Amino acid sequence: MNSTLLRPQLPRASASPSRWGSPEPRRVLLGSVVGFGGRGGGRCRRGVATAASSWMEEAGVAVLEEGVRRNPAVSDSYRPPEMPRPNAAVLEAQARVCTGPEQTRPLGEEQAMRVLDTILRSAMGELKDEPVSSAQLGAFFAGMTIRANSFPEATQWSEGERRAMSLFWPRLVNVLPAEVKFIADPEGTIMGANGLTGPRYIGQSTAEMRLVSALREVLAGGHLGYEEVQGVLKDVLPVDLASANSTIVSEALLAAFLIGQRMNRETDRELKGYCLAFDDELVADVKSLTHYGEPYDGNTRFFRSTLFVAAVRACYGEACLLHGVEWMPPKGGITEGQMLKFMGANTHLSPLQAKTLLEDENAGFAYLSLQEACPPLYSIIGLREHIKKRPPLATSEKVQQFVKGEEGALSMTTKERSAHASKGLPVNHCSGFWTPNSTSFSDGISREGFRVIVNAQELGFESTETPRTDRSVLKNLELGLAALSGEKGPAYDRIVLNAAMVDHLLGCTGAEDIKSALDRAREAIDSGNALSRLMNYIKISHKVS
């Protein structure tokens, strides 16, 4: 495989929330996914960077060398510099044609001509500075093929696209690799006499043969079974990236598979296959555990509160596992990994080290990087940028969307809902299930569902605009740390609301009454305990073994 888009495995340092609540240790699936200032009303809105450096020196944490080379206060700076960027013209077209049956917007003739001309010149080696990647070719032609084969008439090829393809394909067929010609016309029914490669194509390795077989179904608009999805993923995303026996497949084929399944709208069986393909289990000795599956590509506009919520909930024994990456396309926004790294924490904990922090009475929460939890998935971050749209692998919130929060994330808002809000589920819509504590069942499992729209004003919160951060890691930290230092305001209210509502809706002990849950969250902050937890986490993250 052309491996330019795959992230190398770096040296290791050694959706939704779901909860299991019981006094015994629970099996924790770890591989799916600063305190600055004083206590009480202390302020830390200014001078956070200085305070961070001072505190890190005191804790014996070395200042990161890369901070000298770039500005770590801005989320964009965390994009891996060695990762090649996609071709902008083709990426723009992918945004239009590589999406759902109703959302796709056919290209006009002028844009289609420009895109195909770009692909032709790139394939001929004329675009040295901004070539079209193999992943882009796979995603773009997969989108075109699925639209031709299975989409409704309104989102099939436009007349302009047909004219452009009839002009360019006779030339493209002479310069495109065989796997791309297969993707563009797998059964020889789209390109006429120039589409003979597809029906005969089988791939160049055992893994590619399996992938090509699955792709034929996907490119026809069809769906796969649970075991078939799992088998393909384990073939094309090997666990040991450094092994000489690692499977090699074409990036074009892998991109076509991922974007194709997304365009066809994954079935429950397919989603189950993606979510469980790389599962592993560890036992964490905690009374309960909440997984926070925030969107890995972060926030680009609004305050991201989950890191601070985890510190609050840890104060009264509700352990939280945060998982994510340092930077992820397409948004490339602020993530928990960026914030913790900026503050000097070790963000490359192994699952066993994360387990230690979950169990530590001075921490009680942990952040686990996808790089450590599941290297095969981490390795395709670059490919995700080049396919443009979110792949089925990023689907935890589709399996169980516990909260519809701001900016597609989990954070509920205290802002009053506008009368002109968009259709669909409103922000602060929550649904899911909890396990009743008062009933015993023979199989040991019981679920009680809930569905509610949280109205913050009914809970006593003032309606306030969500603080803007606009990709500034530093701004997000200033807001969160000021709130944990006791400074009242919109950020403080959001942390309290989100901690208390998760406690209440998941049936946590001591949160049966929402007022008590809110009071408990405020006490964790106002006492200085939550801020201490965050400081402790940074220290302990460098000491675990």
Side-chain angles (χ1 to χ4, degrees):
M1 186 203 309
N2 179 350
S3 61
T4 56
L5 299 184
L6 298 187
R7 295 280 289 135
Q9 187 173 18
L10 302 181
R12 300 192 182 190
S14 69
S16 313
S18 56
R19 176 180 180 272
W20 296 265
S22 121
E24 299 116 14
R26 288 294 175 187
R27 293 198 175 274
V28 181
L29 298 180
L30 297 181
S32 323
V33 19
V34 173
F36 313 111
R39 297 161 64 96
R43 297 175 61 87
C44 59
R45 300 281 297 176
R46 299 291 180 186
V48 172
T50 302
S53 299
S54 174
W55 187 85
M56 285 190 286
E57 289 174 7
E58 185 178 316
V61 180
V63 177
L64 297 171
E65 292 181 0
E66 64 185 328
V68 178
R69 300 195 303 270
R70 64 183 185 180
N71 178 9
V74 180
S75 65
D76 289 342
S77 70
Y78 289 84
R79 185 186 188 278
E82 73 278 7
M83 187 183 296
R85 293 186 181 275
N87 179 279
V90 177
L91 197 69
E92 181 183 358
Q94 290 170 243
R96 295 176 62 98
V97 304
C98 296
T99 185
E102 285 78 38
Q103 294 81 11
T104 285
R105 295 167 293 159
L107 305 178
E109 184 170 355
E110 180 181 349
Q111 185 179 11
M113 291 280 193
R114 184 169 63 253
V115 169
L116 293 175
D117 179 64
T118 300
I119 292 173
L120 177 63
R121 289 189 292 122
S122 177
M124 295 173 66
E126 297 177 5
L127 300 182
K128 302 296 185 183
D129 294 333
E130 195 181 2
V132 181
S133 69
S134 295
Q136 285 190 277
L137 291 174
F140 175 77
F141 282 109
M144 297 295 287
T145 298
I146 291 172
R147 289 173 57 213
N149 284 338
S150 63
F151 271 24
E153 184 177 355
T155 51
Q156 291 182 4
W157 289 18
S158 68
E159 286 302 317
E161 287 172 316
R162 293 181 187 279
R163 286 192 290 269
M165 193 66 77
S166 66
L167 177 65
F168 277 92
W169 187 253
R171 300 175 64 188
L172 287 168
V173 77
N174 294 318
V175 293
L176 290 176
E179 66 267 22
V180 176
K181 289 185 281 188
F182 156 71
I183 295 166
D185 194 2
E187 306 302 333
T189 58
I190 299 174
M191 302 299 184
N194 289 311
L196 300 180
T197 300
R200 300 194 297 262
Y201 187 78
I202 61 172
Q204 299 184 18
S205 67
T206 302
E208 279 199 356
M209 290 178 185
R210 186 170 189 168
L211 180 56
V212 167
S213 176
L215 256 177
R216 290 191 186 279
E217 185 69 27
V218 171
L219 293 172
H223 294 281
L224 306 177
Y226 164 73
E227 292 183 352
E228 192 171 9
V229 169
Q230 280 208 322
V232 169
L233 291 177
K234 289 180 178 179
D235 273 353
V236 302
L237 300 177
V239 173
D240 185 3
L241 297 178
S243 170
N245 297 321
S246 291
T247 301
I248 297 177
V249 297
S250 160
E251 281 186 2
L253 293 174
L254 180 54
F257 180 77
L258 293 176
I259 202 65
Q261 288 237 282
R262 181 68 196 277
M263 291 178 67
N264 292 339
R265 292 179 172 170
E266 313 92 329
T267 64
D268 288 344
R269 289 178 303 173
E270 288 170 326
L271 288 176
K272 180 181 178 182
Y274 277 100
C275 289
L276 299 181
F278 300 102
D279 261 350
D280 197 0
E281 293 189 356
L282 290 174
V283 177
D285 187 10
V286 293
K287 73 171 185 178
S288 71
L289 180 68
T290 307
H291 283 249
Y292 279 87
E294 288 274 18
Y296 279 15
D297 58 356
N299 284 27
T300 59
R301 294 177 291 160
F302 299 123
F303 174 59
R304 191 168 172 106
S305 66
T306 302
L307 173 61
F308 311 104
V309 169
V312 169
R313 299 186 70 232
C315 294
Y316 39 82
E318 296 297 338
C320 303
L321 177 66
L322 315 177
H323 51 90
V325 294
E326 191 172 290
W327 181 90
M328 175 74 82
K331 289 168 66 175
I334 299 167
T335 64
E336 285 72 32
Q338 291 172 10
M339 287 187 280
L340 286 168
K341 185 173 184 177
F342 187 87
M343 291 187 289
N346 177 8
T347 56
H348 293 287
L349 300 172
S350 69
L352 281 172
Q353 290 171 328
K355 171 182 176 292
T356 299
L357 280 161
L358 288 171
E359 296 171 347
D360 194 302
E361 62 181 10
N362 294 311
F365 71 96
Y367 168 79
L368 189 58
S369 170
L370 185 67
Q371 179 183 350
E372 310 302 328
C374 194
L377 300 187
Y378 178 81
S379 71
I380 62 170
I381 288 177
L383 187 141
R384 172 170 174 170
E385 184 177 26
H386 285 238
I387 68 174
K388 182 59 179 178
K389 296 291 184 176
R390 184 183 64 189
L393 290 162
T395 51
S396 62
E397 73 276 17
K398 294 180 70 175
V399 178
Q400 183 191 1
Q401 188 171 22
F402 175 78
V403 177
K404 181 178 179 181
E406 291 185 304
E407 206 173 330
L410 299 177
S411 294
M412 288 178 271
T413 181
T414 61
K415 181 181 178 181
E416 186 175 10
R417 190 185 185 210
S418 168
H420 306 289
S422 60
K423 296 180 180 179
L425 296 178
V427 174
N428 286 14
H429 176 274
C430 303
S431 64
F433 60 88
W434 56 52
T435 303
N437 294 323
S438 57
T439 308
S440 177
F441 291 79
S442 59
D443 61 2
I445 299 175
S446 173
R447 293 182 178 182
E448 182 177 325
F450 62 82
R451 184 179 298 271
V452 64
I453 299 173
V454 176
N455 185 321
Q457 282 66 60
E458 292 179 355
L459 300 176
F461 290 95
E462 178 184 354
S463 177
T464 55
E465 296 288 335
T466 303
R468 300 279 307 203
T469 55
D470 298 317
R471 298 183 184 272
S472 172
V473 179
L474 180 59
K475 178 66 173 177
N476 206 97
L477 284 172
E478 286 181 329
L479 290 165
L481 295 172
L484 292 193
S485 294
E487 182 176 303
K488 306 302 188 290
Y492 178 99
D493 287 348
R494 278 159 178 75
I495 294 170
V496 169
L497 175 66
N498 281 278
M501 286 308 305
V502 169
D503 292 339
H504 177 65
L505 292 175
L506 294 182
C508 298
T509 302
E512 295 83 1
D513 173 68
I514 184 57
K515 184 179 183 302
S516 298
L518 290 167
D519 289 343
R520 183 170 68 173
R522 291 189 180 101
E523 170 61 21
I525 297 175
D526 295 342
S527 66
N529 194 356
L531 189 60
S532 295
R533 291 269 172 175
L534 192 50
M535 287 193 292
N536 291 337
Y537 181 88
I538 295 170
K539 294 178 182 177
I540 300 169
S541 69
H542 290 277
K543 298 177 181 179
V544 291
S545 60

